[in-house]
Amino acid sequence: QKEVEQNSGPLSVPEGAIASLNCTYSDRGSQSFFWYRQYSGKSPELIMSIYSNGDKEDGRFTAQLNKASQYVSLLIRDSQPSDSATYLCAVNPYGQNFVFGPGTRLSVLP
Amino acid sequence: SQTIHQWPATLVQPVGSPLSLECTVEGTSNPNLYWYRQAAGRGLQLLFYSVGIGQISSEVPQNLSASRPQDRQFILSSKKLLLSDSGFYLCAWSGGNRRWNEQYFGPGTRLTVT
């Protein structure tokens, strides 16, 4: 059974700090990896996608992928209270549907 | 640009009543379409996906069904709702003229079965 695991949190960081969110997956054949942000009561919003080992940066967000360790992470620099949300990790084994993790709740304290 | 619509936004239905939720996508053609359910405080559960008109794959056996009568329209239905059907129902799309496997979600329908 394909699984995606995340710490449920809550992860609390002070404003301006770096928030580090982690995700592990079980299917070594997975090709594509995504991070979604979900505010309370709202639908998930795609914020990052990553397909190759290494880092991918987009503004304050950096996604890191290590396929050998089956590990993907999201770093949020200069965290803001508006970043407080649940972050969902999603994995897409090639040609198959997404598998979502349970999400990590992030709280950025002013 | 592409947009995805869902309606209604909220719905309160009694047990045993029928259900019809609709999702439409604009600005793209031949998208893959998905129905997910998210129970309170839980992760996303894939219910159905479709790669084309009339083509529906079910991930979870239950009292729900899905149909795709038009290229950019996806409908989730039930003949008789159960209490356990309560949740946040999300429609998503991928493909079209976007990177083929990035999924984008609609605003969702919050269903409460009483």
Side-chain angles (χ1 to χ4, degrees), chain A residues 30 41 49 51 65 77 80 90 106:
Chain A
S30 298
S49 57
Y51 303 90
L65 175 62
R77 292 182 300 280
Q80 301 297 310
L106 173 67

Side-chain angles (χ1 to χ4, degrees), chain A residues 26-85:
Chain A
S26 61
D27 188 346
R28 284 193 171 273
S30 298
Q31 299 289 319
S32 310
F33 308 86
F34 307 88
W35 284 99
Y36 287 82
R37 176 176 63 199
Q38 186 175 24
Y39 291 114
S40 180
K42 301 296 185 181
S43 63
E45 172 192 10
L46 179 65
I47 54 172
M48 289 287 284
S49 57
I50 186 167
Y51 303 90
S52 303
N53 279 330
D55 295 359
K56 178 181 178 182
E57 186 174 320
D58 184 0
R60 295 187 295 112
F61 299 99
T62 299
Q64 300 175 317
L65 175 62
N66 184 326
K67 289 185 179 180
S69 299
Q70 296 174 245
Y71 176 91
V72 59
S73 65
L74 179 70
L75 301 178
I76 306 175
R77 292 182 300 280
D78 188 23
S79 295
Q80 301 297 310
S82 59
D83 294 325
S84 298

